[in-house]
């Protein structure tokens, strides 16, 4: 297939050369035809990516499209004339124009040219939004998410923020990051701005999100609430009723089986009243009728489903089940064959077919079907099927050959059945599909979608999938090897690799990755298919000047138009890699981002015309290792032969352009290496509208008067969004892996350990300096309890029960696994995701569990000793036991965490005992930044306790806002720690993304083999009772208990520039990721300025700059409110009052609080940030503004915070 791609590229480039030559030949005489009039320039002024999705809604939408086409020709001709030496803004605007005309390949090309020329491209929110839309179209969700997040970071008030939140909600939903998905859907729902989806449609997606999470009662309540909405569109109503019907069929929401099926049928019948053409609803109705034994009604419903929608493997499989139940094996066989021809990886159909053959006493054919079922990724009964296959094979071996040859067959063999004529219902639709696919230029990657519809069978739970119809002829070979019962490999059609689909059995609870997304939509639904990053992809951000040469490119699969109306779920789909034809099944399915008929314009305008699945590569980052001069191209549209050409080399930054490099025209400023400043300005009288963050050159050493004077009268446009980082810095990004990489022998470094003999050693000043040294990511202080004579018995389980036996304990239910391994629940493969379910109990009940666990372990140990004694001479038996450890069923254990010991009245003795510790590790001390927050942050500036049994895990994480951590093992058992330096957290973040995990929010347990392969050093050590573990700022760590033990832990913030810097960086990263920062860094910085003297120049400059930024923001926002006639009311603060956060987006709100009129009158004071307040009420008429600090007080603090002399200079 590579040769095909090269020939295609060559042909396109050849056409491009001819086109360029022709344009030059036309000369000056033709130039006038591409010129824009003054009125046209005026009409195009301000047109950018924010118009995407709304152009058709404009009254002059068609006229604008014509003008955009003309503008594109004008820009292109001028760029050709200038030999590419134009200002970068031309390419950005050209990208906007192409995006609005839905020419995504040319839009991506233009955006990449702008990116390569514009150093501070990240300041242009419209550019980031347009680039995000293109990535979203090509299903490069990882890159789209980053682009959209950066838009919201640089411009929280971006006019299309609602559209961004919608798309982020859909993408996080696909990535199974349900908390983030819900948050963005809710942010979209409160936004009163215009959007491509209505509020009821957004509410539907929120309800469906609950359903996807298996929160069925919450989903049912949300769906029923939607039905109460007045003037609910019929399509939304039909879809809601369909969901309710299917939920009642699958889940025990009401009463017994008869009752729930009655409700399900009623809901589905009502849905069909609203939308009688829904093949999905007819199919569901057939399933319900089949379940209660109404066979004829089920057949009628299935027939209607086939008539209303394209042929479905699910439907044919269900029809086969009905025939089989009616003792019509030949008809059942034909239906099953139709199902597996439509979907070669339909595990349920293969299993049912095997059962059918087995019931007809044809074990050889049954074995072939079972083997094909086991190869499907949708198969959830692999172990049972494997056992059945071995049983049948053993039976065949015991039968004489003559009896097999002379036996009469009730059914045709699987090879013969594959060649049977396909029913007319199937062939008619097949022909229609074949006709529709004739115009597809590249059909190597056919998209298959999956869904989960369990059917109760005698032996297996049937897991059905919906598959896009494939062109199948009579001469096509069945996907198995004939004439053999050995391992069978599903064959591919033409050069396509058919794959299976992840499904879950009914009412099962499995990995969230295998959860199904069953959002039914009407016909003509467009399915979004998201490719995950390829195995070698190591990208960490959308763009960074220092990272443009060390990231791999990812593969993107264009959306494919899907006519199926079935429920969809996560599935694996083969995607071509960058430079070879091998397929990688790393694609997942996302449901349609809208209910298709409801909205005039699809939210992402996916595959409106061709419905093809093309290959495109993420092109804006160069590869660090030298590739083989790869060249890829995007397919051109029907109206243009222009192509995106990429050449990835080690030295040359990636250059993308709609101008062919073979045309003789320089692509970037003549050579592609010059600065944009040297470009020739070609003035067409139309300037793009860059969205630049206002920046001000005010020194931190300026007085408050000079600062306020500099930012006075900025008005609303001068408002900062409160970033603590410098204006000149781009949005925060994870660090790249340190270079050069460490040699393999240094990937297991020794853990820094300090052994204490007496109290003097504990208070020795160099110990403090050693711990906070950034070069030491972790320090183990051995023998601390003994040296300080700490009474660890105060924290023992017995003492805790005696003190407060009803105290609340958060419990995490986990699987007992080896410390250095993490397996999926089936024990078949190592994974990063670590499932642990949360619940709550009391100290007394958990103590009882701890004691029972210990007694049970003693019994098991005695049994094990007996077994080892009996089989000590049998080496093979011991080896077999060792080899099966990961495959054996994992034992369930419970870990007690987050036990709050902050109440001094309840835990006075325990907290007083900790005052014996050195000052730098105490919970409260003057040199601890967290002691200056002013209120209690549970688990950070207060003590928390964990109660553990062997195998209890604390998954991988960094501490909140990258603060240091102190952990003391109370005993009696040990703990094993794994630690990675802060420099490598970006690498672990990449691994989390590749494994569909959120680095900050998900539970994950790293695979050590992955880390060593990526040259990540891992400290590994044992923490014994009485040992203190100091985790330095930003260090990544995960812990597993070896024995029964308790641990106490809290956070510490050393008064160093390194700690403050990492805390602020994480504060900004959290803001970018829409995650709440537990430590309010703005509030803390002002308290630090009030309370402490800083002698470290670096730390002083960072704190002072934070104060400067916030002072500017408060002044500008206050002026804007006064200018708008909005009164600011004095509110003040009370002692120990927590810092306020926005109740919607959870960002910290400082000084000026936006509170709804109702909340203010009720004195509940539910706080909003200014961005969320403006989104819900554009003119803030529903809000009052409360002020917590007088500007005079802030000015005084700012002026009085000066650099203190260091001790050395003072002496």
């Amino acid at each position: 297939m590579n040769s095909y791609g090269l020939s295609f590229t060559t042909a396109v480039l050849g056409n491009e050369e001819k086109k360029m030559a022709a344009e030059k030949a036309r000369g000056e005489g033709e130039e006038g035809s591409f010129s824009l009039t003054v009125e046209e320039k005026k009409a195009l002024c301000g047109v950018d990516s924010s118009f995407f999705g709304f152009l058709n809604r404009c009254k002059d939408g068609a006229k604008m499209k014509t003008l955009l086409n003309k503008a594109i020709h004008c820009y292109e001709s001028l760029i050709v004339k200038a030999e590419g030496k134009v200002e970068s803004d031309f390419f950005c605007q050209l990208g906007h124009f192409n995006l609005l005309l839905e020419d995504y390949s040319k839009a991506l090309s233009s955006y990449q040219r702008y990116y390569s020329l514009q150093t501070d491209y990240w300041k242009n929110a419209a550019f980031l939004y347009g680039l995000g839309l293109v990535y979203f179209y090509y299903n490069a969700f990882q890159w789209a998410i980053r682009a959209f997040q950066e838009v919201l970071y640089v411009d929280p008030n971006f006019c299309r923020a609602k559209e961004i939140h919608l798309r982020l909600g859909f993408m996080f939903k696909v990535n199974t990051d349900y908390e983030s998905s819900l948050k963005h859907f809710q942010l979209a729902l409160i936004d009163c701005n215009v959007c491509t989806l209505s509020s009821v449609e957004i509410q539907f997606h929120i309800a469906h999100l609950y359903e996807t999470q298996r929160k069925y009662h919450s989903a049912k309540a949300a769906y029923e609430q939607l039905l109460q909405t007045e003037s609910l569109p019929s399509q939304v109503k039909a879809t809601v009723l369909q969901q309710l019907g299917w939920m009642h069929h699958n889940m025990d929401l009401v009463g017994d089986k008869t009752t729930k099926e009655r409700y399900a049928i009623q809901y589905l019948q009502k849905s069909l009243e609203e939308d009688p053409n829904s093949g999905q609803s007819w199919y569901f109705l057939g399933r319900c009728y089949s379940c209660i034994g109404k066979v004829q009604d089920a057949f009628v419903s299935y027939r209607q489903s086939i008539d209303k929608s394209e042929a479905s493997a699910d439907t044919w499989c269900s029809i086969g089940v009905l025939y089989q139940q009616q003792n019509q094996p030949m008809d059942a066989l034909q239906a099953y064959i139709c199902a597996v021809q439509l979907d070669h990886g339909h595990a349920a159909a293969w299993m049912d077919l095997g059962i059918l053959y087995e019931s007809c006493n044809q074990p050889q054919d049954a074995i072939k079907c079972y083997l094909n079922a086991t190869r499907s990724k949708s198969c959830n009964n692999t172990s049972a099927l494997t056992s059945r296959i071995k049983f049948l094979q053993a039976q065949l071996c015991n039968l004489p050959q003559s009896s097999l040859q002379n036996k009469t067959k009730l059914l045709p063999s699987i090879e013969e059945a594959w060649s049977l004529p396909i029913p007319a219902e199937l062939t008619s639709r097949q022909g229609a599909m074949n006709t529709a696919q004739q115009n597809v230029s590249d059909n190597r990657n056919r998209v298959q979608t999956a869904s989960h519809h369990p059917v109760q069978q005698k032996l297996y739970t049937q897991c059905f999938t919906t598959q896009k119809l494939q062109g199948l002829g009579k001469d096509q070979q069945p996907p198995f090897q004939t004439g053999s019962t050995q391992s069978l490999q599903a064959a591919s059609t033409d050069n396509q690799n058919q794959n299976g689909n992840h499904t879950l059995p009914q009412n099962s609870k499995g990995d969230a990755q295998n959860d199904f997304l069953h959002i039914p939509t009407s016909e003509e639904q467009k399915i979004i298919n998201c490719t995950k990053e390829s195995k070698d992809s190591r990208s960490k951000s959308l763009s960074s000047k220092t990272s443009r040469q060390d990231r791999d490119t990812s593969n993107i699969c264009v959306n494919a138009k899907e006519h199926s109306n079935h429920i969809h779920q996560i599935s694996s789909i083969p995607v071509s890699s960058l430079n070879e034809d091998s397929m990688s099944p790393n694609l997942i399915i996302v449901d349609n981002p809208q209910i298709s008929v409801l909205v005039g314009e699809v939210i992402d305008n996916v595959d409106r015309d061709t419905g093809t699945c093309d290959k495109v590569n993420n092109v804006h980052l160069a590869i660090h290792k030298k590739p083989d001069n790869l060249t890829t191209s995007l397919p051109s549209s029907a109206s243009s032969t222009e192509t995106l050409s990429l050449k990835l080399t080690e030295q040359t930054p990636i250059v993308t352009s709609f101008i062919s490099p073979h045309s003789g025209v320089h692509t970037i400023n003549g050579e592609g290496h010059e600065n944009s400043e040297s470009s020739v300005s070609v003035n067409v009288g139309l300037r793009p509208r860059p969205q630049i963050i206002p920046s001000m050159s005010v020194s931190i050493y300026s007085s408050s008067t000079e600062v306020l004077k500099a930012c006075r009268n900025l008005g609303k446009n001068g408002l900062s969004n409160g970033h603590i980082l410098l204006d000149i810095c781009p949005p925060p990004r994870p660090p790249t892996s340190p270079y050069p990489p460490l040699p393999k022998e240094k990937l297991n470094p020794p853990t820094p350990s300090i052994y204490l003999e007496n109290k003097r050693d504990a208070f020795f000043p160099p110990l403090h300096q050693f711990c906070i040294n950034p070069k030491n990511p972790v320090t183990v202080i051995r023998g601390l309890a003994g040296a300080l004579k700490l009474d660890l018995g105060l924290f023992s389980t017995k003492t805790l029960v005696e003190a407060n036996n009803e105290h609340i304990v958060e419990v995490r239910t986990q699987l007992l696994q080896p410390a250095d391994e993490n397996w999926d629940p089936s024990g078949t493969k190592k994974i990063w995701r670590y499932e642990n379910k949360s619940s709550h109990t009391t100290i007394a009940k958990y103590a009882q569990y701890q004691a029972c666990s210990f007694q049970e372990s003693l019994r098991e140990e005695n049994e094990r000793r007996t077994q080892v004694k009996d089989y000590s001479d049998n080496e093979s038996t011991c080896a077999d036991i060792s080899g099966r450890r990961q495959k054996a069923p994992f034992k369930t254990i419970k870990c007690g965490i987050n036990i709050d010991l902050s109440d001094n009245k309840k835990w006075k003795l325990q907290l007083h005992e900790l005052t014996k510790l050195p000052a730098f590790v105490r919970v409260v001390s003057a040199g601890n930044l967290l002691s200056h927050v002013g209120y209690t942050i549970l688990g950070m500036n207060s003590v928390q306790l964990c109660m553990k049994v062997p195998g209890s895990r604390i998954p991988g994480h960094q501490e909140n806002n990258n603060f240091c951590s102190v952990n003391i093992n109370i005993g009696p058992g040990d703990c094993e720690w794994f630690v990675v330096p802060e420099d490598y957290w970006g690498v672990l973040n990449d691994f989390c993304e590749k494994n569909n995990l959120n680095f900050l929010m998900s539970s994950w347990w790293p695979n050590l083999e992955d880390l060593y392969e990526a040259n990540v050093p891992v400290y590994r050590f044992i923490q014994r009772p009485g040992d203190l573990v100091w985790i330095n700022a930003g260090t990544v760590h995960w812990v597993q208990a070896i024995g029964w033990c308790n641990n106490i832990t809290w956070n510490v913030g050393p008064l160093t520039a390194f700690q403050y810097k990492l805390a602020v960086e994480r504060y900004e990263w959290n803001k970018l990721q829409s995650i709440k920062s537990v430590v309010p860094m703005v509030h803390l910085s002002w308290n630090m300025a009030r309370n402490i003297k800083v002698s470290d120049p670096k730390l002083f400059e960072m704190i002072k700059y934070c104060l400067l930024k916030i002072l500017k923001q408060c002044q500008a926002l206050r002026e804007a409110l006064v200018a708008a006639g909005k009164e600011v009311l004095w509110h003040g603060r009370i002692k120990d009052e927590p810092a306020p956060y926005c109740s919607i987006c959870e960002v910290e709100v400082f000084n000026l609080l936006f509170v709804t009129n109702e909340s203010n009158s009720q004195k509940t004071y539910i706080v909003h940030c200014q961005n969320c307040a403006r989104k819900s009420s554009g003119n803030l008429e529903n809000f009052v503004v409360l002020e917590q600090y007088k500007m005079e007080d802030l000015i005084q603090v700012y002026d009085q915070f000066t650099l203190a002399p260091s001790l050395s200079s003072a002496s």
Side-chain angles (χ1 to χ4, degrees), residues 476-541:
Q476 186 177 355
Q477 295 298 317
F480 45 78
Q481 299 171 0
T482 61
S484 174
T485 59
Q486 60 185 0
S487 298
L488 306 176
Q489 179 63 43
S492 59
T493 303
D494 297 326
N495 287 325
Q496 298 184 64
N497 288 339
Q498 302 297 338
N499 64 286
N501 307 281
H502 299 287
T503 60
L504 288 176
Q506 184 174 358
N507 294 333
S508 67
K509 296 180 179 180
D511 194 323
Q513 283 180 308
N514 295 333
D515 199 4
F516 54 88
L517 301 177
H518 56 303
I519 176 165
T521 57
S522 62
E523 296 183 11
E524 299 297 319
Q525 177 180 357
K526 299 180 177 68
I527 307 301
I528 304 174
N529 306 283
C530 166
T531 29
K532 305 317 289 177
E533 292 295 326
S534 61
K535 183 177 180 181
D536 294 332
S537 177
R538 300 285 303 280
S539 51
K540 293 181 175 62
S541 68

Side-chain angles (χ1 to χ4, degrees), residues 1090-1101:
R1090 293 185 183 94
N1091 300 338
I1092 61 178
K1093 296 292 184 181
V1094 176
S1095 58
D1096 181 351
K1098 291 184 178 179
L1099 177 60
F1100 168 77
E1101 289 177 0

Side-chain angles (χ1 to χ4, degrees), residues 403-564:
S403 64
L404 293 176
Q405 294 175 350
N406 298 329
K407 187 172 60 175
T408 302
K409 293 183 178 181
L410 296 178
L411 294 174
S413 68
I414 186 65
E415 296 84 3
E416 295 168 345
W418 195 267
S419 302
L420 291 176
I422 300 175
E425 301 97 320
L426 182 60
T427 54
S428 60
R429 296 185 181 278
Q430 175 190 341
M433 288 298 295
N434 288 338
T435 302
Q437 290 176 351
Q438 288 178 357
N439 296 326
V440 178
S441 59
D442 183 1
N443 60 357
R444 289 176 292 171
N445 297 321
R446 305 268 179 89
V447 176
Q448 302 177 356
T449 63
S451 67
H452 163 68
H453 314 310
V455 166
Q456 295 302 320
Q457 267 291 335
K458 184 175 181 181
L459 295 179
Y460 302 105
T461 300
Q462 307 304 324
C463 302
F464 301 133
T465 57
T466 302
Q467 290 293 347
K468 191 171 183 178
L469 187 60
Q470 306 291 329
L472 299 173
K474 290 184 180 181
D475 57 343
Q476 186 177 355
Q477 295 298 317
F480 45 78
Q481 299 171 0
T482 61
S484 174
T485 59
Q486 60 185 0
S487 298
L488 306 176
Q489 179 63 43
S492 59
T493 303
D494 297 326
N495 287 325
Q496 298 184 64
N497 288 339
Q498 302 297 338
N499 64 286
N501 307 281
H502 299 287
T503 60
L504 288 176
Q506 184 174 358
N507 294 333
S508 67
K509 296 180 179 180
D511 194 323
Q513 283 180 308
N514 295 333
D515 199 4
F516 54 88
L517 301 177
H518 56 303
I519 176 165
T521 57
S522 62
E523 296 183 11
E524 299 297 319
Q525 177 180 357
K526 299 180 177 68
I527 307 301
I528 304 174
N529 306 283
C530 166
T531 29
K532 305 317 289 177
E533 292 295 326
S534 61
K535 183 177 180 181
D536 294 332
S537 177
R538 300 285 303 280
S539 51
K540 293 181 175 62
S541 68
L542 245 183
S543 48
S544 172
K545 193 171 183 179
T546 61
S547 66
R548 297 186 187 187
Q549 287 122 11
D550 57 3
R551 311 274 175 82
D552 291 341
T553 58
S554 61
N555 299 320
I556 306 169
C557 181
V558 186
N559 308 310
K561 189 173 184 179
E562 177 66 65
H563 298 278
S564 171

Side-chain angles (χ1 to χ4, degrees), residues 125 139 199 222 375 630 925 1104 1161:
N139 300 310
S199 61
R375 274 182 195 84
L630 306 176
S925 68
K1104 189 75 171 182
S1161 61

Side-chain angles (χ1 to χ4, degrees), residues 1108-1170:
L1108 170 67
K1109 290 277 295 185
I1110 302 306
L1111 195 63
K1112 288 164 49 181
Q1113 180 191 6
C1114 291
Q1115 172 69 15
L1117 178 56
R1118 214 176 186 288
E1119 284 190 356
L1121 292 170
V1122 172
K1126 195 69 180 177
E1127 184 181 3
V1128 178
L1129 305 178
W1130 171 250
H1131 182 66
R1133 293 188 81 253
I1134 60 177
K1135 185 179 180 181
D1136 299 332
E1137 179 183 354
Y1141 287 83
C1142 176
S1143 59
I1144 304 297
C1145 66
E1146 296 185 304
V1147 301
E1148 181 187 0
V1149 183
F1150 182 77
N1151 190 23
L1152 298 174
L1153 316 180
F1154 293 78
V1155 178
T1156 61
N1157 295 328
E1158 180 182 3
S1159 177
N1160 184 54
S1161 61
Q1162 295 176 353
K1163 299 191 182 302
T1164 54
Y1165 304 118
I1166 298 176
V1167 176
H1168 293 64
C1169 65
Q1170 64 146 331

Side-chain angles (χ1 to χ4, degrees), residues 768-900:
H768 177 204
Q769 298 302 320
F770 184 87
C771 289
I772 66 175
N773 188 337
K775 295 181 179 180
N776 299 321
V778 60
T779 302
V780 184
I781 303 178
R782 306 282 188 185
L784 177 75
L788 297 178
K789 298 181 180 180
L790 290 177
D791 185 3
L792 298 183
L794 292 172
F795 300 93
S796 67
T797 299
K798 179 182 178 181
T799 306
L800 295 173
V801 172
E802 293 172 351
N804 294 285
N805 62 343
E806 294 299 316
H807 202 66
I808 297 298
V809 178
E810 182 181 348
V811 175
R812 294 295 175 91
T813 303
Q814 306 170 336
L815 296 179
L816 177 61
Q817 303 197 47
D820 55 352
E821 297 176 352
N822 187 52
W823 297 82
D824 66 350
S826 65
T828 56
K829 63 178 180 179
K830 292 182 180 180
I831 59 175
W832 277 62
R833 183 181 296 275
Y834 187 67
E835 298 292 345
N836 54 137
K837 299 175 183 177
S838 179
S839 59
H840 291 84
T841 187
T842 63
I843 286 181
K845 290 181 180 179
Y846 191 85
Q848 184 179 7
Y849 167 75
Q850 259 186 337
C852 292
S853 170
F854 181 73
Q855 294 170 0
E856 181 183 355
S857 178
L858 288 179
R859 287 195 301 269
E860 292 177 353
E861 183 65 24
N862 292 333
E863 293 174 1
R864 192 179 300 112
R865 287 177 180 175
T866 304
Q867 183 181 13
V868 171
K869 182 178 180 181
D870 293 342
Y871 296 99
S872 59
D873 297 330
N874 192 339
E875 295 182 2
S876 61
T877 302
C878 296
D880 184 61
I881 294 173
S882 175
R884 288 200 315 264
R885 73 168 176 166
Q886 73 270 17
K887 296 183 180 179
F890 295 113
K891 180 181 177 182
T892 300
I893 58 174
K894 296 180 179 180
C895 175
I897 63 171
N898 297 338
I899 304 172
D900 176 31

Side-chain angles (χ1 to χ4, degrees), residues 220-221 223-225 227-228 237-249 253-254 259-275 281 284-285 288:
K220 181 175 181 289
Y223 283 136
E224 291 176 343
Q225 183 179 0
L227 292 177
Q228 305 302 319
K237 188 175 182 180
T239 308
V240 171
L241 290 167
Q242 183 189 95
Q243 289 301 106
L244 283 170
W246 189 240
M247 281 176 59
H248 278 81
H249 170 75
L253 295 177
V254 289
T259 304
K260 74 174 189 175
E261 291 299 339
R262 186 177 73 250
Y263 274 102
I265 291 173
Q266 289 176 357
Y267 278 123
L268 291 170
Q269 288 174 339
K270 290 180 181 178
S271 176
L272 287 168
E273 291 175 4
E274 297 291 335
D275 182 12
S281 294
F284 288 162
L285 189 59
C288 293

Side-chain angles (χ1 to χ4, degrees), residues 534-740:
S534 61
K535 183 177 180 181
D536 294 332
S537 177
R538 300 285 303 280
S539 51
K540 293 181 175 62
S541 68
L542 245 183
S543 48
S544 172
K545 193 171 183 179
T546 61
S547 66
R548 297 186 187 187
Q549 287 122 11
D550 57 3
R551 311 274 175 82
D552 291 341
T553 58
S554 61
N555 299 320
I556 306 169
C557 181
V558 186
N559 308 310
K561 189 173 184 179
E562 177 66 65
H563 298 278
S564 171
N565 200 19
H566 279 259
I567 288 175
H568 306 286
Q569 82 170 78
I570 297 172
S571 130
S572 296
I573 293 181
V575 179
S576 294
S577 60
L578 180 67
N579 59 349
E580 55 185 55
D581 288 332
S582 61
M583 301 297 184
S584 174
N586 293 319
L587 197 69
I588 57 179
I589 301 301
V590 57
D591 47 355
N592 187 16
Q594 66 182 50
I595 308 167
S596 60
V597 178
L598 301 177
V599 182
E601 292 185 11
V602 181
I603 190 171
D604 58 342
N605 297 328
V606 182
D607 282 348
R608 184 165 296 175
D609 300 320
T610 64
T612 61
C613 181
D614 300 313
K615 294 185 300 180
V616 64
N617 296 286
N618 191 344
V619 297
H620 69 277
L621 298 177
I623 298 179
H624 183 68
K625 59 184 179 181
K626 190 171 182 178
D628 299 328
N629 194 23
L630 306 176
T631 302
T632 63
S633 65
L634 282 173
S636 60
S637 63
S639 60
S640 172
T641 59
E642 293 168 345
T643 177
L644 169 66
S645 299
L646 312 179
K647 290 194 176 181
L648 310 183
T649 62
E650 186 174 20
Q651 298 86 5
T652 308
I654 292 179
V655 177
T656 63
S657 173
F658 53 80
I659 302 175
S660 169
H662 300 285
S663 63
V665 181
H666 297 304
T667 55
I668 295 183
N669 301 334
E671 294 297 331
H673 296 287
E674 299 175 4
N675 295 328
S676 59
E677 297 171 355
S678 62
S679 62
V680 178
S681 174
V682 180
N683 185 9
V684 296
L686 175 64
R687 298 296 301 131
R689 184 186 64 183
Q691 302 211 359
I692 306 298
I693 300 176
S695 59
M696 296 166 22
S697 300
V698 180
S699 169
I700 62 173
Y701 297 99
S702 304
S703 66
S704 58
T705 303
E706 294 171 324
V707 171
L708 298 181
K709 181 179 179 181
C711 67
R712 197 170 301 280
N713 298 322
L714 284 177
K716 180 175 180 295
N717 293 330
L719 294 183
S720 164
N721 60 355
H723 299 159
I724 298 179
L725 298 180
L726 301 176
D727 280 335
I728 59 173
C729 292
R733 297 182 178 91
T736 59
S737 181
Y739 189 85

